[in-house]
Amino acid sequence: MNRYNPLAIEAKWQKIWEDSRAFEVDESSPKPKKFLAEMFPYPSGAGLHVGHVRNFTIVDVLARYYSQKGYNVLRPFGYDTFGLPAENYAIKTGVSPKVATDTNVSNFRNQLKKLGFAIDWSREINTSSPEYYKWTQWCFLQLYKKGLAYQKESYQWWCPVDQTVLANEQVENGHCWRCGSEVEKKKMKQWFFKITEYADELLDDVDSLDWPDKIKTMQKNWIGRSEGAEIDFGIVDSKEEITVFTTRPDTIFGATFLVLAPEHPLIKNIVTDKTKSAVEEYCKNALKKSEIERQENKEKTGVFTGSYAINPATKEKIPIWVADYVLIGYGTGAIMAVPAGDERDREFAEKFDLPIVEISKVPEKPFGTPKTTYRMRDWLISRQRYWGCPIPIAYDKDGNTHPIPEEQLPVIIPEIEDYKPDNSGRSALAKATDWLKVTIDGEEMSRETDTLDGYACSSWYLWRYASPHDSAHAWDPKKIAYWSPLDIYCGGDHAVAHLLYIRFWCKFFADEGKLPFREPITKLLYNGYINAPDGKKMSKSKGNVVDPLDVINDGYGADTLRTYEMFIGPYDQDATWNPRSVGGVYRFLNRCWTLCFETELTDTKNDNLRHRTIKKVTEDIDRASFNTAISALMEYVNELYKVGASKEDLVVLSKLLKPFAPHLASEMLEQLSANDDWPVFEEKHLTSETVQIIVQVNGKLRAKLDLPAEELDNEEKITALALKNENVKKFVTTPKKTIFVKKAKLLNIVA
Ligand code: ANZ
């Protein structure tokens, strides 16, 4: 007897799709367009994991569904290939990040092909290829020309032993992750993108997005708009003033002291000889804490500067303190402390015995000038790293910045021997002495050695998909106008950073006249994680990672893997991998195969069942409820086994199954000589059959209820209806017990 052989079927269809370039699309189609994408992956050396597969399968199910429904579907793919892991690997082994990255990309690509994704492979992009990063550099220059890419001094984590700048996540409890020595904050010149210029629009447009509420809220909180006022406080015996930001200018009568952030530039001007060393010591220590630590609700610390300010409302002298709960990057980095109104100020006042004045008076006319502040800062984009997109800037002899002329792009990353950053904190690019030299307008200059944050590369890649090999534009204006905005984006990470940055670039390039829309992503599906069978997070170190290719090669095949990943639970919730359920899904697909290839067709009329199933699966996919769509297909198959299946029943099964298990479904459609057009349900077939329920009270027949057949499963509803029945009510009002026997269609009520 023949049997379901997924590996043979999958190899056959993957070859057909590859040879016929089945998923390549262009803009000439008369069909309506759909553009779908996942958050492209960082191709790590470990290869795909089941979490990627969940994310990519969601997009694939939708891509196939929409193309079966008659849309011109663009489902491209790309790789986010710059970043620290490849660079650290290079520092350790000497293998060039480019070589390691190329190996990882081809490994990923092979794995993806085994999963049967409906990807337009002619559009593959890779952010570390010069053909791509040329345009990342071009984007940078557009922002630079408009003053939205600028330099300023900023504090960076610095490891004094390794002599290198560290990213936040490389600092563990104030120590360097690599050598364990205590880190410092060092003031360095850094590049920023002025995302704050778009703060209002980024905030206001959030409401219009078809995104999960939790992500919208996170974006709003991150931007954090606050309406308040800035108030100037004069300093006793000084011409200086301290400007504070407050959301409560009405509480000024209760302001009994001022607090400056430890980084505040005025501190050095107002400390006294007596307080100087204590203040300096305090500020030095404060710099070792991260902002998050500083905002934690721990015991307050601080130090008195020795100087006083005048409260403009009370005209009283109030002390000026320094404390790390005030952050330099928010508001003005200085506050008027109102212990009677603000919890943190009250704690501080209690600890340091500062006056607490209940606020009974409100100023007649408001103090200060109205001011709106944002929690969001400008986006720090320079990285002292080798494996990133070089910032296309050069410095003249006086240190002035000059853009690299567009016709000289891309600024190619030079190959070097040693990938370690140099001891001044500059990236290893500083060691490429020949590469550093550049001539602009006849003048010898030196190239910038910082590279761009990887998030810059992913801030425009969706538009590159429209014309991935265009050598004249970052994106072709006509093509982008056809495909964009992205209809559906799917991912389970980057709730704030990436999703905010890409919105910022979209608005900027819309203002530049380069994009005909102001929001890049219409609908966002934010998927949950997959945990290991032991319920813990999958990780290499715990040895509990499920390798998707093992599942395929164990003989289950890609269709089982895909279908299981969608069946595992609601897509937006975390789920636990269960090897037994994988087997269950395999048996289900096996039953589909047997029904189609090994079972005789009947002429049973299953119109109601078939149309109900079409309706359920269609509506479930529309609301991204993939697991319930698959359950409906399982029930459908169970029913067909019981009552017999007609050809039409099987054609519908194959079509509905195709987004999840495309290889098997294609094989079935071929056998049935049918196309894959998405089936349409007809209302007239949906009127369901009715069943009659017998209701007994203490064993005696008291009523008969007629209900739609599918409600036979709804015991709660049946019981409620029975208890409302006039005849039943005569014999029982509050039952002791109810017993429902589904098979016998019998409800017994014990009075
Ligand atoms: C006086 C006051 C009285 C305040 C009162 C609050 C309540 P949001 O809503 O988050 O914007 N603040 C201002 N700048 C700060 C900084 N750099 N670091 C830490 N705290 C800062 O909070 C604004 C309030 O947070 C401001 O209003 C200020 O305290 C404080 F009954 O001023 B308030």
Side-chain angles (χ1 to χ4, degrees), residues 540-559:
K540 246 184 163 175
S541 61
K542 288 195 208 109
N544 60 1
V545 175
V546 177
D547 182 338
L549 288 202
D550 284 350
V551 179
I552 295 180
N553 295 329
D554 276 352
Y556 283 129
D559 281 338

Side-chain angles (χ1 to χ4, degrees), residues 722-739:
L723 289 172
K724 271 192 218 143
N725 181 285
E726 287 307 320
N727 205 36
V728 173
K729 279 206 281 197
K730 281 188 214 152
F731 299 94
V732 58
T733 39
T734 38
K736 272 212 192 92
K737 199 170 149 190
T738 62
I739 305 149

Side-chain angles (χ1 to χ4, degrees), residues 358-547:
E358 292 306 327
I359 319 157
S360 49
K361 247 166 104 180
V362 176
E364 271 162 33
K365 75 174 196 338
F367 279 86
T369 39
K371 174 87 187 172
T372 303
T373 308
Y374 303 88
R375 201 156 284 283
M376 178 172 70
R377 319 285 162 74
D378 279 342
W379 169 14
L380 191 159
I381 47 163
S382 42
R383 299 285 180 272
Q384 291 69 43
R385 291 287 155 197
Y386 168 80
W387 191 233
C389 174
I391 294 180
I393 287 288
Y395 297 91
D396 63 23
K397 288 186 190 65
D398 303 321
N400 300 313
T401 56
H402 297 262
I404 301 290
E406 279 179 27
E407 58 282 3
Q408 287 184 32
L409 300 184
V411 176
I412 300 260
I413 306 166
E415 262 309 331
I416 53 173
E417 294 280 305
D418 175 12
Y419 300 95
K420 255 202 242 63
D422 84 350
N423 57 11
S424 63
R426 295 197 301 172
S427 78
L429 290 172
K431 298 177 186 169
T433 41
D434 286 342
W435 174 85
L436 283 179
K437 290 187 202 124
V438 57
T439 311
I440 297 175
D441 292 336
E443 199 183 336
E444 275 239 348
M445 302 196 192
S446 181
R447 290 187 194 278
E448 173 61 84
T449 55
D450 282 357
T451 54
L452 282 173
D453 177 9
Y455 279 123
C457 308
S458 54
S459 289
W460 68 280
Y461 80 108
L462 294 174
W463 313 321
R464 184 68 178 168
Y465 281 142
S467 53
H469 309 297
D470 193 327
S471 56
H473 316 88
W475 50 85
D476 180 314
K478 284 214 191 76
K479 293 182 178 173
I480 199 72
Y482 174 85
W483 289 114
S484 276
L486 185 70
D487 295 285
I488 300 178
Y489 199 32
C490 180
D493 203 355
H494 311 298
V496 176
H498 163 57
L499 289 171
L500 196 63
Y501 298 151
I502 197 167
R503 294 182 59 223
F504 158 46
W505 280 36
C506 179
K507 292 177 189 304
F508 168 72
F509 284 109
D511 283 342
E512 292 286 287
K514 301 255 190 272
L515 289 176
F517 47 91
R518 299 193 75 81
E519 281 293 341
I521 299 153
T522 305
K523 187 182 177 79
L524 175 71
L525 299 177
Y526 206 75
N527 62 275
Y529 285 110
I530 292 186
N531 293 321
D534 58 10
K536 298 196 181 106
K537 220 180 146 172
M538 276 189 203
S539 90
K540 246 184 163 175
S541 61
K542 288 195 208 109
N544 60 1
V545 175
V546 177
D547 182 338

Side-chain angles (χ1 to χ4, degrees), residues 600-618:
E600 234 166 86
L601 294 176
T602 66
D603 50 13
T604 329
K605 278 252 167 289
N606 291 321
D607 292 349
N608 177 265
L609 169 70
R610 198 175 58 251
H611 284 267
R612 259 195 292 135
T613 307
I614 299 172
K615 181 174 195 293
K616 172 88 178 132
V617 173
T618 308

Side-chain angles (χ1 to χ4, degrees), residues 254-257 316-319 337-340 345 349 352-357:
T256 53
F257 56 103
E316 274 172 38
K317 244 173 85 174
I318 57 173
V338 183
D345 298 346
F352 294 103
D353 228 356
L354 293 159
I356 302 174
V357 173

Side-chain angles (χ1 to χ4, degrees), residues 226 245-247 251 325-327 330 335-336 341-342 344 375:
S226 258
F245 171 70
T246 173
T247 45
T251 62
Y325 76 94
V326 176
L327 306 175
Y330 188 63
I335 66 161
M336 62 176 205
D342 185 285
R344 296 164 303 173
R375 201 156 284 283

Side-chain angles (χ1 to χ4, degrees), residues 11-74:
K12 168 182 161 184
W13 287 98
Q14 282 165 20
K15 180 158 185 343
I16 292 175
W17 295 331
E18 175 119 31
D19 291 349
S20 65
R21 302 167 164 236
F23 310 113
E24 291 183 19
V25 285
D26 63 29
E27 301 76 38
S28 64
S29 166
K31 299 171 181 176
K33 71 94 188 177
K34 278 274 178 203
F35 178 17
L36 312 153
E38 50 278 281
M39 293 180 184
F40 68 164
Y42 175 80
S44 70
L48 281 179
H49 61 70
V50 287
H52 288 122
V53 176
R54 184 186 211 189
N55 180 194
F56 305 164
T57 305
I58 292 169
V59 176
D60 209 63
V61 165
L62 293 169
R64 288 179 175 278
Y65 168 68
Y66 284 116
S67 81
Q68 286 180 256
K69 281 190 101 167
Y71 285 86
N72 187 29
V73 174
L74 173 56

